[in-house]
Amino acid sequence: MNTAKWIEYFNRNRQNRPEPDWSAPVTVPTAMLAPLLCSLEQFRLGDGGGPASLIALNRESFRSRTDEMKQIVDLWFREEAEHARLLGCAVRRFHGRIITSHWSFTAFCLCRRLLGVRFELQVLTLTELVSTAYYRMIRRHSPDGPLAALCELILRDEAGHVAFQRDRLAGDGVPHRGLRGWCWRLQFFVCGLGAATMLWVNHAPGLKAIGGTRGEFYGEATRQILRFIRSLRRKEKPAPIPALWARPQSVT
Ligand SMILES: [Fe+2]
Ligand SMILES: [Fe+2]
């Protein structure tokens, strides 16, 4: 994996980040606000609002492979912490609460901690893919301009994270031929559907309130997961570095 390329990408991605206009009038109808806000409060916790680092007990076996990898992991998680900051601004804009625990987040962290860094990286990759579906739906249906602008910023970052995960997996020699390749893709797809279902169970009321549907969510999540799998199968060449402000769907 070309680590210098990713360090340069993450450093460049910190530039040109127009802050959403949080002082603009709130345009969310009252009936939509409560379920949408509940979803955003939980998402703030899950997207960088908890520990902004790898937390698997054996995390150093990945993080300390090289000094460059350590730097990339830190830069990646710095962007996740930035997502929590942006979501916190949206939560405060709608007069919500900054929550610090939720049963689903506690279970998520426990699995990440106990099941090893390889599993943690897969879970985080899948989370980034299904979160992309979530943010795309919010951006599409958002009745609030600053909230849509927040999604635009986060989607730009997640496109980079997904491309990084693709490069990382390809560099680690993920099986892509024969029965082993088929089994790997199947387990990744099934785990991806599990991650999508966890997200839908917790966030369906918020997504439905703004006009989203289950079919739309699963269609979007499945598309993201399958595109990732296909891009890995094609992967003899390095993942393209996302251009600043490129639409995320063109990246993975
Ligand atoms: Fe994120
Ligand atoms: Fe991410």
Side-chain angles (χ1 to χ4, degrees):
M1 194 175 92
N2 184 345
T3 49
K5 174 185 88 168
W6 285 109
I7 291 171
E8 192 201 334
Y9 162 74
F10 278 113
N11 282 324
R12 261 193 331 128
N13 196 40
R14 286 155 68 186
Q15 299 160 10
N16 290 323
R17 300 183 70 86
E19 187 72 10
D21 181 7
W22 301 119
S23 62
V26 174
T27 52
V28 183
T30 317
M32 282 185 189
L33 194 54
L36 177 62
L37 181 55
C38 182
S39 172
L40 293 172
E41 287 171 348
Q42 280 184 43
F43 231 87
R44 190 211 64 84
L45 177 62
D47 195 354
S53 58
L54 292 172
I55 56 173
L57 294 174
N58 65 341
R59 59 190 171 274
E60 289 305 320
S61 65
F62 175 78
R63 196 173 164 276
S64 300
R65 279 180 182 178
T66 61
D67 284 346
E68 288 80 13
M69 185 57 82
K70 205 179 274 186
Q71 215 178 322
I72 291 172
V73 171
D74 291 346
L75 288 166
W76 163 30
F77 278 100
R78 182 150 64 184
E79 288 195 352
E80 298 300 358
E82 169 63 5
H83 297 171
R85 186 195 69 81
L86 286 165
L87 286 158
C89 290
V91 166
R92 278 187 280 272
R93 169 175 170 76
F94 300 137
H95 306 290
R97 301 164 305 141
I98 300 296
I99 61 170
T100 52
S101 71
H102 186 270
W103 70 265
S104 61
F105 186 65
T106 305
F108 177 65
C109 287
L110 196 65
C111 290
R112 283 172 56 189
R113 189 177 293 278
L114 296 181
L115 297 178
V117 71
R118 199 168 153 168
F119 178 83
E120 180 179 27
L121 286 165
Q122 172 159 307
V123 166
L124 291 174
T125 303
L126 291 168
T127 303
E128 291 182 322
L129 291 167
V130 299
S131 296
T132 295
Y134 173 85
Y135 287 120
R136 282 173 61 82
M137 277 180 74
I138 302 241
R139 182 180 63 180
R140 190 177 304 136
H141 294 285
S142 174
D144 187 71
L147 182 60
L150 168 153
C151 293
E152 192 72 39
L153 273 172
I154 295 183
L155 281 166
R156 156 180 152 179
D157 296 343
E158 295 301 357
H161 298 180
V162 166
F164 162 66
Q165 302 297 354
R166 175 189 161 202
D167 236 13
R168 172 188 66 75
L169 272 170
D172 281 354
V174 65
H176 59 271
R177 288 184 202 286
L179 184 62
R180 284 186 64 228
W182 190 86
C183 288
W184 187 90
R185 289 191 292 279
L186 181 65
Q187 69 79 28
F188 189 85
F189 182 71
V190 170
C191 291
L193 288 185
T197 300
M198 280 294 286
L199 194 156
W200 180 252
V201 164
N202 280 310
H203 298 279
L207 291 173
K208 284 180 181 169
I210 56 172
T213 64
R214 179 189 307 185
E216 182 186 2
F217 172 73
Y218 276 98
E220 190 69 67
T222 304
R223 198 161 30 250
Q224 297 298 330
I225 297 164
L226 289 177
R227 180 181 288 145
F228 185 81
I229 291 173
R230 274 199 302 271
S231 72
L232 263 176
R233 290 196 75 185
R234 286 197 302 269
K235 171 87 182 106
E236 263 86 39
K237 50 186 184 186
I241 296 181
L244 294 185
W245 291 107
R247 301 288 278 184
Q249 61 268 40
S250 66
V251 175
T252 51

